[in-house]
Amino acid sequence: MTVETELPTPPVVDRETWQRRRDDLLVREKAHTRAGDALAAERRRLPMTEVRNISLDGEHGPTSLLEMFGDHDQLLTIKHMWHAGEPFERQCEGCTANMWNFQDPAYIEARGIAFGVWCEGPREEYEPFRDFMGYTVPWFSVHGVDESGVSDGWINAYLRVGDRVFQTYDTDGRGCEAMIPSLLLADLTVYGRQEQWEDSPAGWPQPHRASGGTGWWRKDGRPVAQWTRPGVTQVDAHGGHCH
């Protein structure tokens, strides 16, 4: 016996009616875009605060904050959570989504913005993971480093002026969605992100939680992106590897 299920759908209308409703929504979308432009303009008018030129352990050893800029005047950093001593599949699924959706900073570097990852784990632990995931952007360890007065957010923006470094912006929480265009693309579809907090019509599929829900951040025991990696293995219910 099979059970057939059918997802609810929007009402069906003629093309003229659909276009009229779409045009009405477009007016609001344009207002939303302009509101975002206005917020960005306010960010550009924030004051800045000087930070210490801390040194972090990177691929080439101790690296100062100033050195992370390279030839650029601006620097963006993102933090990566780390669960010490845990296998790859137990590492943060949210941080994996952030990094997987933004692996190549070529276009922001063309605008004079350097990019780096600040990982909470020690370099000897995260480097094999970085290699496994195929990441090529610079990673630096903040393990055991006092970051107070340097990075209050999960994404941080810095400006170099001579031999001084200033913080110009930070964000966390949903502000990190700037790193995950997959979410923004899902917002364009009829069922959205399918997360339980979303305002959707009654009966719309919403099997996922904003964090840790099955099928969105994780699949079969791993962060989703890990299943694309060569040689990846199955994980059993207890976290061990199946053979």
Side-chain angles (χ1 to χ4, degrees):
M1 175 179 176
T2 60
V3 178
E4 295 184 359
T5 61
E6 188 173 316
L7 292 175
T9 63
V12 178
V13 297
D14 60 78
R15 184 72 184 187
E16 182 180 353
T17 301
W18 181 87
Q19 191 63 58
R20 185 168 60 252
R21 292 288 300 274
R22 175 67 191 99
D23 291 344
D24 288 344
L25 181 59
L26 182 60
V27 173
R28 297 177 61 189
E29 287 180 331
K30 288 181 177 294
H32 176 75
T33 298
R34 289 191 290 270
D37 291 341
L39 282 173
E42 289 300 314
R43 291 188 194 102
R44 293 191 292 272
R45 287 165 172 79
L46 281 173
M48 61 185 184
T49 184
E50 190 164 8
V51 298
R52 295 178 295 110
N53 185 28
I54 62 172
S55 180
L56 303 180
D57 190 17
E59 182 179 359
H60 303 292
T63 306
S64 71
L65 186 55
L66 270 170
E67 290 173 320
M68 294 178 203
F69 283 80
D71 297 330
H72 303 301
D73 292 326
Q74 297 183 81
L75 170 68
L76 270 175
T77 66
I78 180 170
K79 289 185 182 177
H80 196 296
M81 188 182 297
W82 190 259
H83 302 304
E86 295 290 342
F88 296 166
E89 63 270 16
R90 296 287 184 86
Q91 297 305 327
C92 177
E93 60 271 12
C95 296
T96 300
N98 285 341
M99 281 305 306
W100 191 255
N101 281 265
F102 187 76
Q103 297 188 55
D104 190 339
Y107 282 98
I108 64 169
E109 288 180 344
R111 299 294 177 100
I113 305 167
F115 181 79
V117 178
W118 288 8
C119 183
E120 292 183 339
R123 183 162 62 94
E124 59 270 21
E125 281 201 23
Y126 75 63
E127 279 194 336
F129 173 80
R130 177 175 175 263
D131 292 341
F132 166 69
M133 295 302 297
Y135 297 143
T136 59
V137 299
W139 280 47
F140 305 94
S141 174
V142 296
H143 180 70
V145 176
D146 178 13
E147 300 173 66
S148 60
V150 178
S151 58
D152 295 328
W154 214 247
I155 297 177
N156 299 277
Y158 301 99
L159 176 67
R160 177 174 62 183
V161 181
D163 60 356
R164 301 168 69 187
V165 179
F166 299 85
Q167 184 164 13
T168 60
Y169 185 70
D170 70 14
T171 190
D172 54 20
R174 291 193 64 188
C176 295
E177 288 183 4
M179 295 283 295
I180 315 179
S182 297
L183 292 175
L184 306 183
L185 289 171
D187 285 340
L188 303 181
T189 67
V190 66
Y191 297 125
R193 304 180 187 192
Q194 302 178 43
E195 293 183 356
Q196 295 166 3
W197 63 270
E198 288 181 285
D199 180 2
S200 294
W204 248 230
Q206 292 183 314
H208 309 304
R209 298 188 300 275
S211 178
T214 58
W216 179 258
W217 303 103
R218 286 185 172 271
K219 179 181 179 182
D220 298 332
R222 286 184 178 275
V224 171
Q226 290 191 8
W227 289 108
T228 69
R229 307 315 301 151
V232 70
T233 58
Q234 295 284 337
V235 180
D236 65 26
H238 302 288
H241 292 266
C242 301
H243 300 283

